Amino acid sequence: MNKPQAKPGELPIEASQVRVGVYVRIPLSWLDHPFLSSSFLVTSEDQVREIMALGVAVFADAKRSKVMPAAPPKAADPAPDEAQQLELTLVRQRQEAQRAAKAQRAKVMADMRAKLDIVQKQYMSATEQTAGAFKQFDARPAESVRVVREVAAESARSLLADPDSAIILIADKAKSQGEVAHALSVMTLSLLLAKQLELPEGEIQLIATAAMLHDIGHHSINPSILRNPARNRHEEAVFQTHARAGFERLNAMAAVGAQLPPAIAEVALYHHVREDGSGFPQGTKLAQMSRAAKIVAIANRFDNLANPVDPRTAVSPFEALGVMWAREKSAFDELLLQSFIRTMGIYPPGTLVQLSDQRIGVVVATAPPSARLCPQVLIYDPDTPRREALILDLADPETAQQLKVDKALRMQERSEDELDYLLPRRKMNWYRGNTG
C-alpha cells in the first residue's frame, strides 16, 4: 500500500499533536474511522481522543486551522499509565461499534445509489422512446402519439403504484436531448403535483400526456428563434404562435387516426396563459383554463427558470421556487402553486447546498414529507470519483444529529470544478423514482 502523501498546504503530524482548532485530514477510507468526513476542523476533546485512538498519523491544513498543532512528543515521554490505557481501550471499543454502524450506513447508501441507477435507466429509456416519437411526428403522427401516450401512461401508473415516489435529479453528462428533457421534466413535475392533489387516475394520465405534448407547436417554429434568448418583437410574436399551432396540430390528430381528448390540445394552447392576465395567447379567459393547463403551466415555468435558453441566466431550483412565490404568485393559481412548493420540498433536487460542517453538495432527491429540511445530498469531494461520492440522507436520525443544511447556494458563485462534479450537465432534469 502506498504511504499517504501530504497535499499542498498540509503538514504530516502525529495523532498526539492534534488539538481543538486544528483542521485535519485522516488518511483512511470512510469506513475505517468514525467521522462523517475524512477532513474536518477538530472542535472537541472527544474528537481529539477519537483521532488518537485510531493510532495513525494524520495531516494538518495550516490555512484552515485556527491553531497550530501541538509540539511533537519527546522520545523520552513515558508510556500511558493504566488509566490512560483503559481510556484508549474504551475509545477503541466505541470506534469499533461506530465502524459497524458506519458499515450499515454504507450499505444503505449503496442501496440508495442502486435505486438512483434504476431511475437513471428508466429515464434513458423514456428519453429514447420520446426522442424517436418527436423525430417522426411529421411523418408518422399517429404512431408518435401512441408512443408518447404509452410513456406518459407508464409514468402515471408507476407513480400511483409507488407511495414513496420522489423527484430524482438526472445529472449525467450524456448528450442533452433539450426538447425531450423538457417534456419529461414537465411531465414528472406535473405528475407529482397531480398526485399531491390526489386527483383521479384518469385525470392524472391525461395530465401526463398533455405535459409531454404541451410544446409540440415548437415544431412549427424556426429552431433559431427557439434558441434565441434575446428575441426581438417580431421573433417573440412568431414564438408565441407555437401555443395555437400546438392546439391545432393536436386537434387534427383525429384525421390521422390518433383521437386525443380535447383537454390535451387545450393544455398546449393555454400553458403560457397567466392568472393575472399576462402570458399568451392574448385575450384568453381564465375560466377557459382547465386544472390540467394550470398544473402544466406551473411545471413549465419552473423548468424554464432552472433550464433557460441562456444557461447564464439559470437559477437554482431553490431560487426558482422563490421567484415563483415572491414575484410571480399572481400569475398562477395560488393553491396549486402552494401544493407544488410542498411537493418539491424546501430544497428541490438540483439545489446546491452547504451543510453545517461547511461541505457542499447537491440535492439528488426530495425529502420525505415528514422531514422537508432533510433531503438526500451528494457530497463534493475532489479526491473521490463522482460515481463513488458520498450520499448523505439527512433524514437518517444518526446523520440528522450531526448535520443539517446550512444554506442553499447559487450556481454562479461556485467554481467550475465544483459544478462539473455536482451538476455535470449544468441542466437539471427530473424524473420520478423511489428512494425509500
Side-chain angles (χ1 to χ4, degrees):
M1 182 182 293
N2 294 331
K3 182 179 179 182
Q5 299 296 314
K7 297 179 182 179
E10 290 184 340
L11 302 170
I13 62 173
E14 296 296 324
S16 58
Q17 294 179 257
V18 175
R19 57 177 177 155
V20 173
V22 175
Y23 194 97
V24 300
R25 177 170 67 86
I26 301 170
L28 297 174
S29 77
W30 183 71
L31 289 174
D32 292 333
H33 63 74
F35 305 102
L36 281 175
S37 175
S38 296
S39 302
F40 58 95
L41 183 71
V42 178
T43 58
S44 71
E45 291 297 337
D46 283 344
Q47 290 179 333
V48 172
R49 286 190 286 271
E50 297 278 2
I51 293 170
M52 289 183 66
L54 291 172
V56 297
V58 299
F59 297 98
D61 187 324
K63 288 186 177 180
R64 302 174 77 175
S65 294
K66 294 184 178 180
V67 300
M68 292 302 293
K74 297 178 182 178
D77 280 355
D81 59 26
E82 187 174 338
Q84 291 172 322
Q85 287 284 14
L86 178 60
E87 182 181 3
L88 281 174
T89 298
L90 292 174
V91 169
R92 286 178 178 137
Q93 289 174 347
R94 187 165 66 250
Q95 286 183 346
E96 286 303 314
Q98 290 169 331
R99 285 192 185 99
K102 185 178 274 192
Q104 177 58 33
R105 285 162 61 200
K107 181 181 181 304
V108 170
M109 187 167 60
D111 291 343
M112 201 161 31
R113 192 182 298 282
K115 290 176 181 178
L116 292 175
D117 286 345
I118 290 172
V119 174
Q120 182 79 39
K121 290 177 182 176
Q122 293 171 340
Y123 176 82
M124 294 308 296
S125 175
T127 296
E128 291 174 8
Q129 294 178 70
T130 306
F134 283 1
K135 188 174 182 179
Q136 65 176 2
F137 210 94
D138 289 329
R140 303 175 65 187
E143 173 65 13
S144 297
V145 166
R146 183 190 66 78
V147 172
V148 167
R149 294 187 77 172
E150 283 185 0
V151 172
E154 176 56 31
S155 295
R157 282 194 297 267
S158 298
L159 181 84
L160 293 171
D162 180 6
D164 298 318
S165 285
I167 307 169
I168 309 298
L169 173 71
I170 304 296
D172 271 1
K173 211 167 187 173
K175 182 179 179 182
S176 175
Q177 294 269 9
E179 178 188 29
V180 174
H182 177 65
L184 289 174
S185 286
V186 172
M187 178 193 68
T188 298
L189 299 171
S190 299
L191 276 176
L192 269 293
L193 175 52
K195 184 179 180 182
Q196 167 84 11
L197 296 170
E198 299 181 346
L199 302 184
E201 181 175 353
E203 186 174 354
I204 288 177
Q205 292 209 8
L206 182 146
I207 288 170
T209 301
M212 290 279 283
L213 294 171
H214 77 280
D215 267 342
I216 202 67
H218 277 185
H219 290 196
S220 66
I221 308 294
N222 189 310
S224 65
I225 293 179
L226 296 175
R227 292 193 297 264
N228 183 5
R231 292 184 284 266
N232 60 35
R233 288 174 60 187
H234 169 71
E235 290 170 331
E236 180 60 26
V238 172
F239 171 77
Q240 291 187 9
T241 64
H242 82 268
R244 186 161 295 281
F247 172 75
E248 292 172 353
R249 189 167 200 173
L250 295 176
N251 263 341
M253 284 294 107
V256 294
Q259 185 72 47
L260 287 171
I264 291 178
E266 289 168 3
V267 168
L269 179 63
Y270 297 140
H271 70 277
H272 281 289
V273 173
R274 298 293 180 254
E275 295 276 327
D276 58 6
S278 61
F280 58 88
Q282 296 279 329
T284 304
K285 295 179 181 179
L286 295 179
Q288 294 175 280
M289 283 186 71
S290 65
R291 179 163 54 190
K294 293 179 179 182
I295 287 172
V296 173
I298 289 172
N300 181 63
R301 177 56 176 159
F302 176 83
D303 191 58
N304 284 335
L305 283 169
N307 296 310
V309 174
D310 183 355
R312 293 172 299 180
T313 64
V315 299
S316 74
F318 173 85
E319 291 174 296
L321 291 181
V323 167
M324 293 177 72
W325 183 253
R327 302 183 203 167
E328 301 179 354
K329 187 192 307 183
S330 63
F332 304 101
D333 183 299
E334 187 170 331
L335 292 179
L336 291 181
L337 183 57
Q338 286 177 337
S339 293
F340 181 71
I341 291 171
R342 282 197 299 272
T343 299
M344 295 301 290
I346 304 299
Y347 303 108
T351 301
L352 300 179
V353 294
Q354 178 176 300
L355 302 184
S356 50
D357 65 355
Q358 305 305 301
R359 281 184 292 175
I360 72 164
V362 63
V363 176
V364 293
T366 46
S370 59
R372 292 294 188 192
L373 296 174
C374 304
Q376 295 175 7
V377 180
L378 183 143
I379 301 299
Y380 171 69
D381 181 357
D383 295 326
T384 302
R386 189 185 192 280
R387 186 67 186 80
E388 302 169 14
L390 181 67
I391 299 177
L392 294 176
D393 184 355
L394 300 186
D396 173 71
E398 186 174 343
T399 304
Q401 288 180 1
Q402 305 175 59
L403 285 176
K404 62 182 180 69
V405 174
D406 192 29
K407 61 181 177 180
L409 303 171
R410 299 185 71 243
M411 290 185 292
Q412 291 83 351
E413 297 171 351
R414 308 316 304 178
S415 71
E416 287 296 309
D417 286 344
E418 290 171 334
L419 293 176
D420 283 342
Y421 191 99
L422 297 172
L423 292 171
R425 289 184 61 145
R426 293 298 193 276
K427 284 186 175 290
M428 285 157 283
N429 301 319
W430 296 275
Y431 207 56
R432 48 105 197 125
N434 181 336
T435 59

